[in-house]
Amino acid sequence: MHSFHRSWRHAAGHAINICGIYGGWKGGPACGAWHGSAGEGSEEGFGGAGFGVRRPLRFLAYKLDLDDRQVAELAKILDELKTERAQAEVDRRRTVASLADAVAGETFDAAKAGEGGDLRVQSAGRLRDAVLKALQQIHAVLKAEQRVQFAYLIRTGALVI
């Protein structure tokens, strides 16, 4: 079995990442330390890795008791966030390539390394802005008691932003 599949199967009790790109390994980029959904043994029983909007959305719909309108709006918000996160991953790869190119030559290419560093900073800023925008939009969609529960999920680490 591929390590990716093993990791989500043993992930019971871990966090859901609303960016939802990777499944189940620690040390993932930018959106948080653990990426995936609740494992097979958890009380939620959603299983599987957190690809795209579907599983984080299902988790939030269940935990926050969302109505159909809220689910539809949250799906749009999470999809936009997923797209920005995917772009950040592309930028990360470009940064790594620039840094590798900087050290590959006879002499260190400070300009190339600087380009990689600048790209990393710009990408992190765009991702930060996307997360803040998503949180603001989510706040507007949720009712007061749902906001309290959403905040609790973030505080306890059950939901990673």
Side-chain angles (χ1 to χ4, degrees):
M1 181 183 294
H2 190 275
S3 63
F4 172 85
H5 297 289
R6 274 194 304 268
S7 62
W8 67 259
R9 291 185 66 197
H10 299 288
H14 288 280
I16 285 258
N17 185 323
I18 68 171
C19 297
I21 302 299
Y22 297 95
W25 60 84
K26 293 187 185 223
C31 278
W34 194 89
H35 303 276
S37 61
E40 293 174 336
S42 69
E43 73 175 312
E44 290 83 29
F46 298 121
F51 285 103
V53 169
R54 197 167 133 220
R55 286 180 180 87
L57 183 60
R58 190 183 317 168
F59 174 80
L60 289 173
Y62 170 76
K63 285 293 196 178
L64 303 177
D65 194 27
L66 301 176
D67 61 37
D68 290 341
R69 179 194 60 80
Q70 289 174 313
V71 169
E73 289 184 38
L74 206 55
K76 291 177 194 173
I77 295 166
L78 295 179
D79 190 48
E80 289 174 20
L81 191 57
K82 182 183 97 168
T83 301
E84 189 58 44
R85 178 61 198 97
Q87 182 59 50
E89 177 59 21
V90 170
D91 291 344
R92 186 195 66 77
R93 285 190 223 128
R94 286 183 182 148
T95 297
V96 168
S98 290
L99 296 175
D101 290 346
V103 299
E106 287 292 317
T107 61
F108 180 73
D109 187 348
K112 192 66 133 168
E115 288 174 17
D118 290 344
L119 179 58
R120 181 168 287 181
V121 169
Q122 292 167 3
S123 180
R126 283 193 306 271
L127 187 57
R128 178 204 60 222
D129 293 346
V131 169
L132 293 177
K133 177 182 174 189
L135 288 173
Q136 183 177 18
Q137 291 172 330
I138 290 169
H139 182 272
V141 168
L142 299 178
K143 298 173 187 167
E145 63 275 1
Q146 292 170 324
R147 283 189 219 116
V148 170
Q149 180 64 24
F150 186 72
Y152 175 78
L153 292 173
I154 293 170
R155 273 192 192 97
T156 60
L159 185 68
V160 179
I161 304 293

